[in-house]
Amino acid sequence: MSTLAKTPREIHAASAYDVQKIRRDFPILHQSVHGKPLVYLDNAATTQKPLAVMEAIESYYRHDNSNIHRGVHALSERATEAYERVRVAVQKFLNAADAREIIFLRGTTEAINLVAQTYGRKNVGSGDEVLITAMEHHSNIVPWQMLCNEKGARLRVAPINDRGELLLDEFEKLLSPKTKIVAVAHLSNALGSINPLREIVRMAHARNIPVLVDGAQAVARTAVDVQVLDCDFYALSSHKLYGPTGIGVLYGKTRLLEAMPPYQGGGDMIASVTFEKTVYNRLPYKFEAGTPNIADTIGLGAAIEYLNHLGLDQIEQHEHDLLTYATEAVESVPGVRVVGTAKEKAGVLSFVMDTFHPHDIGTILDREGIAIRTGHHCAQPVMQRFGIPATARASFGLYNTRAEVDALVKGIHRVVEVLG
Ligand SMILES: Cc1ncc(COP(=O)(O)O)c(C=O)c1O
């Protein structure tokens, strides 16, 4: 993930990475769009799914479909076991200390809303502050804004420089006794910048302030160890991790989760109910009201197994090589300017072109079979910071190739021909 020089072992590992073989696991990649081979470079929006994920979901519905936790019959026991096995797989994937710290939700957005509505409502009061950064996705802005509006608290924003890097000194200056929680992206979806999480956590913890990390973009691109990071909450979405939509995870430290009130009320999150009083269930079920998304949780489990098999270190190296190659190639096209040039960067290549609107760039590239994203990427304040309405964004995944980057560059030349 970093741009630092790689060791010989890492270089050897990368050379063993067989991207053509990997591509065979993703049926969707093998199609034509507008008569051209599909080049899928919209992985920051969502990733494609390997066969193993589709097969796991299908197998669950074919053989094991049943509601979990409540049944004594064989199907319910199998479904419960499969669902809970994924919790342990996620625990290991993030190196969380305990499986009870893994809560299944719809995705990153819901995970952040949960923390804002439970931890936030309990601990943030009038005159208090919530600290975020200027590179956040809307889902790590709006839930905090809603909380601050409700409580009469203030949302503070740590600035970034022209390369799209967090200004750590400024960040530290904004920490005060009023700060009740810090919420930061691990990796910016609009700029690709990687935040220095260990320093951020150290600075916040020195003042007893908990840190939530929005890991939506990072988790498929680098190995995450929540105990090494020492963050208090980590949010992720399965669909950015080569798993299905509709399922995601909140990791939280036991001590904090125990003290938080439940998020939603309903079945499964209770130990006992009378009309007078409800006793809530233990962790993690306290935060999983109602029938969960069992099938997609099992799909997430298959995605994690797939990533573990390939190795996050190898994926990171592969994407690092692609990003370096793509940045040089795209920048060499006259009139192109890359937005987001942080030293520590991964996965995302945002750019603008003189006089051409990103929407037109995206439309012409689509005619060439190339899928990129154009717009504000749910990060309007980032666009305002750089004084632009939108960018064109190519984002890379574990199955992308240098030949696809070449196709992108050819496509950008085509944009110049058509619009120039
Ligand atoms: C950095 C970041 N945070 C949060 C999200 C929201 O993820 P989801 O829509 O899966 O909840 C995204 C999605 O693009 C993202 O890139």
Side-chain angles (χ1 to χ4, degrees):
M1 176 163 285
S2 78
T3 49
L4 300 175
K6 299 290 166 185
T7 64
R9 192 180 61 80
E10 287 167 324
I11 290 164
H12 173 75
S15 62
Y17 191 87
D18 187 347
V19 71
Q20 292 306 336
K21 182 160 172 273
I22 290 166
R23 288 176 71 80
R24 291 201 285 276
D25 296 332
F26 293 83
I28 200 170
L29 298 176
H30 307 285
Q31 63 174 292
S32 294
V33 170
H34 304 303
K36 308 275 170 59
L38 169 66
V39 174
Y40 186 78
L41 297 176
D42 195 16
N43 294 286
T46 200
T47 50
Q48 301 302 349
K49 320 304 172 201
L51 273 169
V53 168
M54 299 179 227
E55 284 167 3
I57 295 170
E58 194 197 327
S59 168
Y60 165 74
Y61 279 128
R62 252 179 210 279
H63 303 293
D64 302 326
N65 177 49
S66 182
N67 212 330
I68 56 168
H69 294 151
R70 286 159 252 182
V72 290
H73 59 81
L75 265 57
S76 178
E77 280 179 6
R78 286 209 301 264
T80 304
E81 205 181 289
Y83 180 82
E84 292 300 334
R85 251 201 321 267
V86 179
R87 201 186 304 277
V88 174
V90 174
Q91 176 207 345
K92 291 191 176 134
F93 189 64
L94 297 178
N95 194 32
D98 195 311
R100 292 175 308 155
E101 299 180 316
I102 304 302
I103 295 160
F104 290 124
L105 300 154
R106 273 193 300 134
T108 307
T109 302
E110 190 172 33
I112 298 171
N113 276 279
L114 184 153
V115 177
Q117 290 299 312
T118 59
Y119 183 89
R121 276 177 126 180
K122 190 167 176 198
N123 293 289
V124 177
S126 172
D128 286 337
E129 297 182 350
V130 172
L131 179 57
I132 61 171
T133 81
M135 69 175 84
E136 301 307 320
H137 186 280
H138 294 164
S139 60
N140 202 25
I141 302 173
V142 183
W144 303 113
Q145 224 163 29
M146 289 163 69
L147 174 72
C148 289
N149 288 343
E150 180 187 321
K151 295 290 185 172
R154 187 169 172 204
L155 186 66
R156 304 302 301 269
V157 183
I160 56 177
N161 64 21
D162 290 342
R163 290 193 299 274
E165 295 162 325
L166 179 66
L167 294 169
L168 254 190
D169 291 352
E170 300 298 317
F171 170 84
E172 189 166 27
K173 278 188 217 153
L174 286 166
L175 293 169
S176 82
K178 290 184 195 161
T179 317
K180 294 297 179 251
I181 187 162
V182 166
V184 295
H186 193 164
L187 197 165
S188 154
N189 67 307
L191 301 168
S193 322
I194 298 163
N195 271 319
L197 288 183
R198 299 217 21 213
E199 283 94 324
I200 288 172
V201 170
R202 189 182 50 72
M203 288 171 177
H205 283 184
R207 295 158 178 88
N208 284 323
I209 303 165
V211 178
L212 174 142
V213 178
D214 169 353
Q217 292 297 335
V219 79
R221 299 196 156 90
T222 192
V224 171
D225 184 327
V226 289
Q227 292 190 75
V228 168
L229 291 176
D230 199 23
C231 57
D232 300 278
F233 301 103
Y234 196 96
L236 64 94
S237 297
S238 150
H239 73 98
K240 312 237 190 226
L241 196 62
Y242 306 93
T245 51
I247 185 74
V249 171
L250 172 69
Y251 156 80
K253 283 184 180 163
T254 305
R255 180 179 53 82
L256 293 169
L257 293 176
E258 293 278 18
M260 281 154 53
Y263 177 47
Q264 294 177 333
D268 240 27
M269 54 76 74
I270 55 93
S272 69
V273 179
T274 63
F275 286 122
E276 288 70 39
K277 183 177 163 58
T278 293
V279 177
Y280 303 131
N281 207 340
R282 61 186 200 279
L283 287 178
Y285 311 111
K286 181 172 90 173
F287 293 107
E288 293 181 4
T291 301
N293 186 346
I294 306 161
D296 291 319
T297 305
I298 288 163
L300 167 62
I304 287 176
E305 204 176 315
Y306 185 83
L307 291 175
N308 285 340
H309 176 70
L310 287 187
L312 255 302
D313 289 349
Q314 299 230 50
I315 295 167
E316 184 176 339
Q317 178 64 47
H318 175 71
E319 290 191 23
H320 170 82
D321 289 345
L322 272 184
L323 182 64
T324 307
Y325 181 71
T327 303
E328 275 172 27
V330 168
E331 268 180 340
S332 71
V333 181
V336 171
R337 180 165 62 87
V338 172
V339 180
T341 51
K343 269 200 222 90
E344 296 294 324
K345 185 176 169 183
V348 170
L349 183 59
S350 260
F351 60 95
V352 289
M353 295 177 77
D354 291 346
T355 66
F356 308 143
H357 193 279
H359 182 78
D360 298 331
I361 301 171
T363 306
I364 292 170
L365 289 177
D366 176 57
R367 302 301 304 179
E368 302 297 313
I370 301 164
I372 63 156
R373 186 143 299 236
T374 62
H376 54 61
H377 316 298
C378 293
Q380 284 183 352
V382 172
M383 302 299 120
Q384 285 149 18
R385 166 65 181 77
F386 286 90
I388 47 180
T391 74
R393 181 188 71 184
S395 53
F396 304 102
L398 56 84
Y399 35 62
N400 288 126
T401 65
R402 283 188 173 212
E404 290 182 307
V405 172
D406 295 340
L408 171 69
V409 174
K410 202 168 153 215
I412 297 172
H413 282 290
R414 178 89 187 121
V415 172
V416 178
E417 262 169 50
V418 174
L419 298 177

